[in-house]
Amino acid sequence: MPANVVISPRGEQRLQTGHPWIYRSDIVESHASGGDRVVVRSRRGQVLGQALYSDQSQIALRMLTDGEQEADDALIERRILAAIAFRETLNINATAYRLVHGESDRLPSLIVDQYGDYLVMQALSQGMDKLTPLVVRVLQDRLSPRGILARNDPRTRTLDGLEQKVEVLAGEIPDVVHVHELRVEYEVDLRHGQKTGLFLDQRDNRGAAALYAHGRLLDCFSYNGGFALTMAQRCREVIALDVSEDAVARIKANAARNNVQVDARAGNVFDELRAFERSGERFDTIVLDPPAFAKSKSAIDKASSGYKEINLRALKLLNPGGILITCSCSYHVNEAAFAGMYEDQVFHAKICARYPVYVASASWYRYRQHDASCCAQAEVQGTKRAARGRFKPQVATKRP
């Protein structure tokens, strides 16, 4: 029988509103060990569901089921298979995409990404780490991959008292894997690349942005050149900036593989934007897709300054009729806050540059692979156009 964990009325209320987590402050009584699947009860003894338990993280319970439903191995297997089956219905134009997306697939703290014939997984809690052998077996039986890699190196694992490590769980993993996304082919380093290898959640945004790319393109924080490569065929000149020399080497290799011209440069984006402004350079399309500036609530003010600076400098570099695609992946900077920052910069750009800049209102749409997301469309109303988006994902377009 699973161990019991009793939660407070406040924790019970969280479950009633649909939240999938219970925090340690709402644990009243526990007879479980870290990584156990447990029965969650109210103080009155009512069974509220079953969950993965952590004895280290502030997220003590990650819910698996409601009420009396048992969270056994068969349930975990059914949910993995259901997640895979759903992705197969989407006809995704890529060989690299997410198969399992944690709580969205009712498999808390589990990530599984497919890269061609290879799979990369992350188990980000004690409970899912303990279930890794089961997950690997189901993936092998269903997909017969040539190899499965565990990218269990995110810092979030340390919050659960887990080791950060990268290891091959099944088969073999080559140094480089070749995949395609839309019309672009990539070389991917599954062991050392960002996240599980690529930023897969930007795929639809790269395709959408390419529809409106034109003229001279500047792709900032380019990483492996995703936006630059996808938009290159519609632009007469492409410059991609990244602070990492390794990233610049990947951009050049991927550009050669796709037979497109990309001027990939290593440098600090803040410094480069200042230099472009001083030298009088201008662009028709600019992409800002920076790393998270706010990794904690205490960093929000500093992050705000960073977002404001790069957006204002980018707006000043746009030619009349130019388009700015700007993104945020900072969890602690929500959509409203990011929109407010951005609109402040539009106002300042109007004053500093003495020309109109227009931002259209945001509208919600359902992202086919992940969850609900924000899409911004820029009206063609003035001499400059700018659009904003919120990461996971964000799309910027002009309305035809």
Side-chain angles (χ1 to χ4, degrees):
M1 286 289 296
N4 290 295
V5 175
V6 179
I7 64 173
S8 69
R10 184 177 64 178
E12 187 176 354
Q13 186 176 14
R14 288 178 67 83
L15 292 185
Q16 290 171 352
T17 62
H19 202 287
W21 299 343
I22 297 296
Y23 292 101
R24 184 155 307 282
S25 58
D26 287 315
I27 301 298
V28 174
E29 182 181 352
S30 174
H31 303 284
S33 299
D36 284 351
R37 279 173 277 181
V38 300
V39 175
V40 181
R41 295 182 181 271
S42 70
R43 276 181 165 171
R44 303 180 304 279
Q46 179 186 0
V47 175
L48 303 173
Q50 295 195 9
L52 299 176
Y53 176 72
S54 171
D55 61 6
Q56 297 289 320
S57 174
Q58 290 304 307
I59 303 173
L61 295 171
R62 299 172 188 264
M63 299 303 297
L64 289 168
T65 64
D66 300 322
E68 301 283 348
Q69 185 180 12
E70 185 178 357
D72 56 11
D73 287 0
L75 176 91
I76 302 299
E77 180 171 357
R78 287 197 303 272
R79 288 185 177 175
I80 294 172
L81 295 177
I84 294 170
F86 172 64
R87 270 61 180 195
E88 290 175 342
T89 68
L90 301 180
N91 297 316
I92 298 170
N93 185 12
T95 56
Y97 51 88
R98 181 146 296 176
L99 289 174
V100 178
H101 194 204
E103 280 76 356
S104 295
D105 289 305
R106 299 181 297 165
L107 292 163
S109 65
L110 176 64
I111 298 296
V112 182
D113 290 340
Q114 181 162 358
Y115 290 89
D117 295 328
Y118 302 91
L119 302 178
V120 182
M121 65 170 284
Q122 293 178 324
L124 303 177
S125 70
Q126 291 177 343
M128 198 54 71
D129 192 67
K130 198 170 181 178
L131 288 171
T132 293
L134 170 62
V135 174
V136 170
R137 178 183 64 76
V138 174
L139 293 174
Q140 287 181 305
D141 290 347
R142 176 63 174 80
L143 299 171
S144 301
R146 297 177 66 179
I148 301 177
L149 180 72
R151 276 295 301 270
N152 285 330
D153 51 347
R155 190 185 66 84
T156 51
R157 274 178 58 95
T158 65
L159 303 178
D160 251 71
L162 297 171
E163 180 185 359
Q164 292 176 271
K165 58 184 178 180
V166 178
E167 60 181 337
V168 177
L169 300 177
E172 297 181 351
I173 302 293
D175 293 336
V176 173
V177 172
H178 296 115
V179 299
H180 82 261
E181 176 188 282
L182 306 175
R183 298 176 300 277
V184 179
E185 293 187 8
Y186 297 95
E187 291 183 353
V188 185
D189 182 346
L190 299 181
R191 288 182 174 85
H192 305 105
Q194 293 286 341
K195 304 297 183 181
T196 61
L198 291 175
F199 290 107
L200 300 177
D201 49 8
Q202 286 284 59
R203 181 188 63 251
D204 283 5
N205 304 307
R206 289 188 277 263
L211 295 176
Y212 306 105
H214 66 286
R216 195 172 187 226
L217 166 66
L218 176 63
D219 180 17
C220 301
F221 309 98
S222 188
Y223 180 48
N224 68 339
F227 276 102
L229 294 167
T230 306
M231 302 163 81
Q233 292 183 353
R234 298 181 64 95
C235 297
R236 60 178 171 79
E237 182 185 358
V238 180
I239 298 175
L241 299 177
D242 200 279
V243 71
S244 166
E245 293 281 2
D246 290 340
V248 170
R250 284 194 299 270
I251 295 169
K252 291 178 178 178
N254 285 325
R257 170 172 288 274
N258 288 276
N259 196 30
V260 295
Q261 297 296 317
V262 176
D263 180 2
R265 306 177 186 179
N268 181 290
V269 169
F270 289 86
D271 295 339
E272 296 299 320
L273 291 177
R274 294 187 196 102
F276 285 139
E277 185 178 355
R278 285 194 300 267
S279 63
E281 296 211 45
R282 294 294 182 266
F283 298 89
D284 302 293
T285 310
I286 299 177
V287 178
L288 298 176
D289 187 15
F293 286 170
K295 295 187 177 181
S296 65
K297 288 184 178 179
S298 62
I300 291 177
D301 288 344
K302 186 176 180 180
S304 298
S305 297
Y307 286 125
K308 287 177 180 178
E309 179 177 348
I310 61 171
N311 279 282
L312 180 55
R313 293 192 181 279
L315 285 167
K316 290 180 179 180
L317 294 176
L318 281 177
N319 278 322
I323 294 179
L324 170 63
I325 299 107
T326 184
C327 314
S328 166
C329 64
S330 293
Y331 171 81
H332 296 284
V333 178
N334 62 27
E335 170 68 16
F338 186 61
M341 290 180 215
Y342 186 70
E343 286 160 5
D344 284 347
Q345 298 324 297
V346 170
F347 176 75
H348 283 103
K350 289 180 181 181
I351 295 173
C352 296
R354 297 181 182 177
Y355 42 62
V357 180
Y358 295 88
V359 181
S361 60
S363 59
W364 290 92
Y365 77 110
R366 175 62 57 176
Y367 184 43
R368 301 199 320 162
Q369 184 181 352
H370 299 309
D371 46 7
S373 310
C374 181
C375 171
Q377 292 189 320
E379 296 275 11
V380 186
Q381 296 178 351
T383 58
K384 286 206 173 184
R385 293 160 290 190
R388 57 176 168 78
R390 178 75 175 116
F391 193 75
K392 284 205 179 173
Q394 61 282 4
V395 178
T397 74
K398 66 178 180 182
R399 193 170 294 159

